[in-house]
Amino acid sequence: MRKDVRILLVGEPKVGKTSLIMSLVSEEFPQVVPYRAEEITIPADVTPERVPTHIVDYSEAEQTDEQLSSEISKANVICIVYAVNNKKSIEKVTSHWIPLINDNTAKDSRVPVILVGNKSDLVEHSSMETILPVMNQYTEIETCVECSAKNLKNISELFYYAQKAVLHPTGPLYCPEEKRMKPACIKALTRIFKVSDLDNDGILNDNELNFFQRTCFNAPLASQALEDVKNVVRKNVIDGVCDNGLTLKGFLFLHTLFIQRGRHETTWTVLRRFGYDDDLELHQDYLFPLTLKIPPDCTTELNHNAYLFLQSVFDKHDKDRDCALSPEELKDLFDVFPYMPWGLDVNNTVCTNDEGWITYQGYLSQWTLTTYLDVQRCLEYLGYLGYSIISEQESQAAAITVTRDKKIDLQKKQTQRSVFRCNVFGDSGSGKSGFLQAFLGRNLTRQNIVSEEHMSYYAISTAYVYGQEKYLLLHEVFPDFDVLSDADMACDIVCLVYDASNPHSFEYCARVFKQYFMDTKTPCMMIAAKSDLQETKQLYSLTPLEFCRKHKMPPPQAFTCNTAGAPCKDIYTKLTTMAMHPHVTQADLKSSAFWLRVSVGATVFAVLGFAMYRVLLKQR
């Protein structure tokens, strides 16, 4: 909501503008009334909406037309005061004041107007019959209040309605001419319905309605109140209630009813709780709750609660329970977003099933990747999904863990991180892209059907090291760089890929290593790709094996993705292990016992993981 409200009172001389303000402040009718009251500020703690309110008077005798125009442009709401016993002051509402206000405000952001009929104590009739056609003619008029400064009738109500017109405006929500909600309001409430529909069955059951009620109004609905609400919907809307739950149609009807009955603050409370601003756009403070300070050598990861939330989102959209998201299911999941956040390149970044659909593991991997590379984007995405609301957290920032400095990990010789980045270097045609895709279980045959325009320079999946599930993020670095960026240097391990069948391929890897990584503590591994082809002597002063020995690296690892089934993943386990334990000595890396412990652990936990997954699937 706005941080304050500025109310301007205008109208013909002698209609009682100043008397209204003074009666509100002193709670008695003033015997001596000046031409104009000084601007007053009502503190937040004495206003119904807990917002500071500034009340500004206007006097034709003391102010110029320029000063009036300035005040109109600054006002959040304008009260046009007329005297109910003065026909001329009523006529001036439409002949002078409304046109003047419209001339001084932008057409697409008209300021709300309250019509105020003062001096009701002097007549026995109401002016409403005269005013009603005016209200129907001008959509910017929120309401009309008849009052009396002399006997204090409706004085507090007048300023409450003025405040309400600013904090809970009707304009963005409802079109009175068409007697229905505006498209932007329908769109926002539809997203709110979908976020609140925790099982995605298209119905808000009693549990979901109670959670929604507690979330927005801090109190559940009694059983009888719930039934009363549903009965009202049943009587007015076909298909508004289904299986004793509220449908989207019924949900939208209820909010239309609230607005039509003047209770639009109810709808605004819901909209603001779900992050919307006065223009019915998701507020920047909601989407980006804070700027996370990521110190050097620290990274960002999702915590356990965030993964549980994302798992629940996957579950509610995986309608056929095949542990993968079809294009329709993925579109449904992202229906609460203003745009489609994942392009076709994502399908080549994470694991997919045989039909090319993103699997459960691939889905979590992509979220992990986004959090690691662009945490602000991750916060935005979680905001669209309603993370802070459904998880009952203060903001999406509660989903993020900032890891400790990598230098501390090196000192303690252990790490608490779950995501490790491996930058992959190699000359053109060396097999880098194939190496990335093989990590996702794709052999050369499957890789050949991937469209070049949808190719990704990232690949992320899980690897098991000593029984711990970790994420390995592979990033292919362009071979024609001039200078390495900080991102290309800031990784946990470097992978240098050369084509074992190309005699000129290794030289590039040697040059990159010597120029950028020889004097760093970043572990490096040499990959002899395309090992299914005839190995060729490399045209370099040292053989790859001699080069690795000289620079205390593990021996080159033979690798091919030209296999009948999925390529072997042992190399990725080794990379993850080296990234987790950069302090491991060269002797350990050469030890077959060391790698046996790693590979056996990976196999055991992969089998256990699959078994647990089957159990969870049955439970689902």
Side-chain angles (χ1 to χ4, degrees), residues 426-438:
D427 205 357
S428 297
S430 60
K432 299 186 299 300
S433 299
F435 184 73
L436 265 67
Q437 291 298 303

Side-chain angles (χ1 to χ4, degrees), residues 39 55 62 88 95 139 166 221 251 320 432 451 471 512 593:
E39 179 181 326
I55 302 176
E62 290 193 353
K88 184 181 177 184
S95 66
T139 57
V166 178
L221 277 173
F251 184 74
D320 54 9
K432 299 186 299 300
S451 169
Y471 283 95
V512 168

Side-chain angles (χ1 to χ4, degrees), residues 190-349:
T190 300
R191 172 184 165 267
I192 290 169
F193 180 91
K194 287 177 176 290
V195 168
S196 304
D197 183 11
L198 301 178
D199 56 8
N200 199 33
D201 64 352
I203 298 166
L204 296 184
N205 59 38
D206 285 1
N207 289 334
E208 290 166 340
L209 281 169
N210 261 314
F211 181 79
F212 172 82
Q213 183 74 13
R214 282 200 320 274
T215 298
C216 296
F217 306 103
N218 297 318
L221 277 173
S223 298
Q224 187 56 51
L226 267 176
E227 283 307 309
D228 292 344
V229 167
K230 285 185 274 192
N231 285 333
V232 169
V233 176
R234 282 190 189 100
K235 289 176 183 176
N236 290 276
V237 185
I238 299 171
D239 300 329
V241 175
C242 180
D243 294 336
N244 203 36
L246 203 61
T247 65
L248 174 60
K249 198 172 178 181
F251 184 74
L252 294 176
F253 165 77
L254 272 181
H255 283 282
T256 303
L257 197 63
F258 291 144
I259 296 165
Q260 289 174 338
R261 292 185 176 179
R263 290 177 52 198
H264 35 282
E265 66 270 20
T266 302
T267 300
W268 273 115
T269 300
V270 170
L271 289 164
R272 288 187 173 120
R273 179 65 185 90
F274 279 79
Y276 289 92
D277 62 17
D278 290 348
D279 298 317
L280 296 185
E281 298 286 345
L282 285 171
H283 203 285
Q284 291 297 295
D285 290 345
Y286 169 79
L287 291 176
F288 308 103
L290 54 89
T291 303
L292 285 169
K293 293 183 179 178
I294 317 299
D297 287 333
C298 298
T299 57
T300 45
E301 299 179 359
L302 292 166
N303 59 32
H304 178 66
N305 288 334
Y307 279 116
L308 288 178
F309 170 77
L310 291 170
Q311 287 167 10
S312 71
V313 172
F314 183 96
D315 283 347
K316 85 183 228 183
H317 291 93
D318 182 19
K319 290 288 192 180
D320 54 9
R321 295 292 186 257
D322 64 347
C323 296
L325 295 174
S326 69
E328 292 74 25
E329 289 169 341
L330 197 64
K331 183 181 177 184
D332 186 41
L333 189 153
F334 289 127
D335 198 38
V336 294
F337 284 57
Y339 56 88
M340 183 64 180
W342 291 0
L344 290 174
D345 60 313
V346 173
N347 296 59
N348 298 312
T349 303

Side-chain angles (χ1 to χ4, degrees), residues 107-127:
K107 190 173 183 180
D108 57 348
S109 57
R110 289 282 164 83
V111 65
V113 171
I114 307 288
L115 298 184
V116 181
N118 192 24
K119 304 188 180 183
S120 63
D121 58 294
L122 298 180
V123 295
E124 293 184 1
H125 64 273
S126 171
S127 64

